[in-house]
Amino acid sequence: MSRTETYHINDKTMKYMNFAQSRRKHQYLGLPGNFKSRVPQEMIFTDMTSARADELYYNDENLLIDLEEESDYISTKTLEKFSKYSIFNSYWHIKRKLYLAVICHKTPKNRTECFEYAPSVYIHVHYIHLKQDELWKKYENVINKVKHKETLTDTEALDIAFTSKFISKRHAPSVVEKLCEAFKDAKIEDKHLKLDVRVILSGMILKHIKSEIKQNRLMEMIGMRNIENELDELVYEQYGDKLDAKDKEIENKNTIIKNNEKEIKTKDNTIEKYAKLIKKLQAFDDFNTPEARKIINALILLK
């Protein structure tokens, strides 16, 4: 890749990044249960207007979690928007109970709020606020622990990923750069966690670092060049038995298909020979002649 080219993450890595960010963000914020699977975020209302949830996924406790993020203060208009989301999602995911959480960049009035959307419809919102001074403490703690070659806890490893995401935009570029340097030397025992932190951090590089040269340098620093091989290893480590069984199933199906193709080809050849012999036989007025009888015998043998 040329030093003047923008770093492009391939489609497979991008999909994994989105999945990793959703799963690890759920873990980092301490939301209920364990992340299970993402679901479509698009919504179309009865007036034919559309909207898109920020994050929408199932956990393992039969909850549908709508995780929104708001950069401004929560207003009545914001709550009305959340209410429409909640009504739509409750209808489309009727077998799941809804949990609505909102990451607030501005300090909310309370940790939760019950909003009256209609006389018989109330929406319960759970607010999450990450204070800037607390984020700076997490940042400094990670930098110091890496400097002293100490092993990071799982939460501290995730601080590398999410401090860069939630820190103020004004400081984000310098914070991302420093966290990339820290990640390069960080001791993270869980290799799956380390992979997830790497791909989330790569997203922050592309979001906050404008210089293409610096993007490339930071991507190389955190080891994004070898990410595809690591993803393949991770997939086979977790799902190897299922994938091997699937490969065997595909191999067996391919064998059956090839055998069927051979059988069809053989039948086609037989039909072609049969047609040629019939055509020759039609040229005879008397089927009792030696040559005609010879063709008839050949036809009998083809059967």
Side-chain angles (χ1 to χ4, degrees):
M1 179 182 294
S2 169
R3 285 289 183 179
T4 59
E5 291 179 357
T6 303
Y7 189 97
H8 291 289
I9 294 178
N10 63 54
D11 186 58
K12 179 171 69 174
T13 306
M14 182 64 74
K15 287 177 181 177
Y16 185 84
M17 180 199 297
N18 292 334
F19 170 78
Q21 186 168 151
S22 296
R23 183 164 62 96
R24 293 301 184 178
K25 190 193 296 179
H26 177 94
Q27 177 185 348
Y28 190 67
L29 298 176
L31 296 176
N34 297 305
F35 177 94
K36 190 173 181 181
S37 61
R38 301 176 81 197
V39 296
Q41 298 155 267
E42 291 73 18
M43 294 167 280
I44 300 177
F45 306 114
T46 52
D47 60 359
M48 299 311 293
T49 58
S50 62
R52 194 173 191 273
D54 291 337
E55 288 277 0
L56 201 61
Y57 58 90
Y58 295 148
N59 76 352
D60 59 355
E61 295 180 351
N62 206 39
L63 283 181
L64 171 68
I65 297 179
D66 180 2
L67 180 59
E68 299 294 326
E69 189 168 345
E70 290 293 323
S71 57
D72 208 342
Y73 288 108
I74 304 299
S75 64
T76 300
K77 187 176 180 180
T78 315
L79 291 168
E80 288 176 350
K81 176 183 73 172
F82 293 155
S83 299
K84 289 176 67 178
Y85 287 12
S86 297
I87 293 167
F88 178 90
N89 288 321
S90 295
Y91 174 77
W92 281 103
H93 303 270
I94 197 166
K95 293 183 179 180
R96 307 274 180 164
K97 295 180 180 179
L98 180 68
Y99 181 93
L100 173 62
V102 183
I103 300 170
C104 300
H105 289 259
K106 299 287 180 67
T107 309
K109 295 178 181 178
N110 300 294
R111 294 188 64 181
T112 63
E113 182 172 5
C114 195
F115 174 68
E116 181 184 348
Y117 179 68
S120 297
V121 180
Y122 289 80
I123 306 298
H124 193 195
V125 189
H126 301 77
Y127 294 123
I128 301 166
H129 177 58
L130 301 171
K131 297 179 181 178
Q132 289 296 307
D133 59 342
E134 292 178 358
L135 289 170
W136 281 111
K137 286 179 183 177
K138 292 174 183 290
Y139 165 79
E140 290 167 2
N141 175 62
V142 166
I143 298 297
N144 287 330
K145 290 197 74 170
V146 171
K147 182 179 179 181
H148 291 93
K149 303 185 186 305
E150 298 179 38
T151 301
L152 301 183
T153 65
D154 289 358
T155 301
E156 288 168 341
L158 289 175
D159 283 337
I160 294 178
F162 291 110
T163 299
S164 59
K165 178 173 175 58
F166 295 119
I167 204 77
S168 66
K169 290 182 180 179
R170 183 161 59 96
H171 299 292
S174 60
V175 167
V176 168
E177 191 168 356
K178 288 292 185 183
L179 287 174
C180 286
E181 294 172 3
F183 177 82
K184 178 172 65 71
D185 300 317
K187 291 185 177 181
I188 302 173
E189 293 182 341
D190 186 335
K191 65 179 182 180
H192 296 170
L193 174 59
K194 189 168 186 176
L195 176 62
D196 287 355
V197 172
R198 178 185 290 129
V199 296
I200 296 170
L201 193 55
S202 71
M204 297 302 104
I205 292 171
L206 297 180
K207 181 177 180 180
H208 295 295
I209 304 299
K210 303 305 178 185
S211 166
E212 295 170 352
I213 294 175
K214 188 175 287 188
Q215 279 184 7
N216 284 324
R217 180 175 65 80
L218 294 176
M219 288 291 192
E220 289 175 357
M221 182 184 293
I222 66 174
M224 281 299 290
R225 297 296 185 196
N226 303 318
I227 196 71
E228 284 192 69
N229 292 335
E230 288 193 41
L231 284 176
D232 290 339
E233 289 176 10
L234 174 61
V235 168
Y236 265 91
E237 184 175 308
Q238 292 188 330
Y239 306 106
D241 292 341
K242 292 181 180 178
L243 290 172
D244 288 341
K246 195 68 178 176
D247 287 343
K248 188 67 178 176
E249 181 184 341
I250 292 171
E251 184 182 341
N252 290 338
K253 285 182 178 178
N254 287 336
T255 301
I256 292 170
I257 290 169
K258 286 180 180 179
N259 289 337
N260 287 341
E261 286 175 347
K262 287 180 181 178
E263 186 178 343
I264 290 169
K265 189 175 182 180
T266 300
K267 287 181 178 179
D268 286 343
N269 290 336
T270 302
I271 291 170
E272 188 177 349
K273 290 178 182 178
Y274 195 88
K276 286 180 179 179
L277 290 171
I278 290 290
K279 190 175 181 180
K280 285 183 179 181
L281 189 61
Q282 287 173 342
F284 289 89
D285 294 327
D286 185 359
F287 291 164
N288 290 317
T289 63
E291 289 186 15
R293 294 300 302 175
K294 186 178 179 181
I295 294 173
I296 291 170
N297 290 334
L299 285 169
I300 293 171
L301 289 174
L302 280 177
K303 291 181 179 181

